[in-house]
Amino acid sequence: QSVLTQPPSVSGAPGQRVTISCTGNTSNIGAGYDVHWFQQLQGTAPKVLIFDNGNRPSGVPDRFSGSKSATSAFLAISGLQADDEADYYCQSYDNYLSVWVFGGGTKLTVL
Amino acid sequence: QVQLQESGPGLVKPSETLSLTCTVSGDSISKSSYIYNWIRQPAGRGLEWLGRFYLTGHTSYNPSLKSRVSISIDTSKNQFSLRLTSVTAADTAVYYCVRSSNSGGVWYFADWGQGTQVTVSS
């Protein structure tokens, strides 16, 4: 059981928009800690997609966007493409556990 | 472009010590603008942060690992290392070395090694 809760799976057709939620509590997201998002393609290492809630590293398309509200964060992917199929993880800091924590991951399927 | 590469035994016996090294290339590990981490991922499961090393010499570890974990750095070799003692099957995972970067005061896991599989089995 992860401290940050994500839906196990989401799906969408090419060209559509999907949103992945990440729900925490007042010890992590709700305490004001930044949320970051990672994409993990099959058999590869995670790659940072969004940092500091809504910033994209250079090279990440603007189809990917992040937001945060209260105790939750959201990753939106617009204009879905086949190669967006991957696992997506949110990550933050938890001051009760004193650890950097990850969500359980969401598998995105492009139909 | 910085690259991180994990190395170490792929098989460790129960109760023994797991030791991994991460070699950093393309940048000096001595730069104080980075923090060095280890993160692991059991097969088919999520990510778990294990610990980090600050170039000030300060370390921070996941309390769930209690006193089993330690991270050290060798600036002369541009490497940092993970040591996990008294391993059990639950420590079987892919282990990643990760460099944290800072942007506008925000630290995030920016650069990842490709990961190395470690299996604990007799």
Side-chain angles (χ1 to χ4, degrees):
Chain A
Q1 300 84 341
S2 301
V3 173
L4 303 179
T5 301
Q6 299 180 233
S9 63
V10 297
S11 62
Q16 286 189 334
R17 172 187 168 98
V18 296
T19 300
I20 299 172
S21 62
C22 174
T23 302
N25 56 42
T26 55
S27 297
N28 40 68
I29 299 175
Y33 293 104
D34 301 299
V35 178
H36 316 293
W37 290 90
F38 298 85
Q39 177 192 60
Q40 186 175 33
L41 300 170
Q42 180 70 27
T44 70
K47 162 193 161 185
V48 60
L49 210 56
I50 297 287
F51 69 94
D52 188 15
N53 306 313
N55 292 306
R56 286 183 305 275
S58 60
V60 174
D62 60 6
R63 301 187 297 106
F64 296 90
S65 61
S67 61
K68 184 178 115 171
S69 177
T71 58
S72 294
F74 305 91
L75 173 70
I77 309 172
S78 60
L80 269 182
Q81 301 178 359
D83 57 6
D84 293 334
E85 275 210 349
D87 293 324
Y88 292 84
Y89 293 90
C90 61
Q91 180 260 311
S92 187
Y93 180 77
D94 189 285
N95 63 18
Y96 177 74
L97 299 172
S98 298
V99 295
W100 281 265
V101 291
F102 291 87
T106 298
K107 183 174 183 59
L108 168 64
T109 300
V110 181
L111 303 171
Chain B
Q1 180 76 359
V2 69
Q3 291 188 325
L4 293 85
Q5 178 67 60
E6 305 87 352
S7 59
L11 181 64
V12 182
K13 289 182 168 56
S15 80
E16 295 191 345
T17 296
L18 179 162
S19 295
L20 296 175
T21 296
C22 181
T23 300
V24 179
S25 57
D27 203 356
S28 171
I29 204 170
S30 300
K31 287 184 179 178
S32 61
S33 48
Y34 299 106
I35 300 173
Y36 295 91
N37 307 264
W38 286 94
I39 291 171
R40 70 181 179 182
Q41 184 174 34
R45 296 177 61 186
L47 299 156
E48 180 184 29
W49 172 80
L50 304 180
R52 59 177 34 183
F53 187 102
Y54 300 79
L55 284 169
T56 56
H58 176 67
T59 53
S60 178
Y61 300 121
N62 191 321
S64 70
L65 297 171
K66 297 180 182 178
S67 58
R68 294 199 299 131
V69 63
S70 63
I71 296 174
S72 60
I73 200 163
D74 187 337
T75 55
S76 67
K77 295 181 179 178
N78 232 39
Q79 295 176 334
F80 64 105
S81 298
L82 170 73
R83 190 168 179 268
L84 184 65
T85 62
S86 304
V87 298
T88 69
D91 296 309
T92 295
V94 174
Y95 285 74
Y96 295 100
C97 58
V98 183
R99 187 176 80 165
S100 292
S101 293
N102 185 290
S103 178
V106 175
W107 290 96
Y108 63 100
F109 299 125
D111 303 295
W112 295 64
Q114 67 183 33
T116 188
Q117 172 69 46
V118 177
T119 301
V120 178
S121 174
S122 55

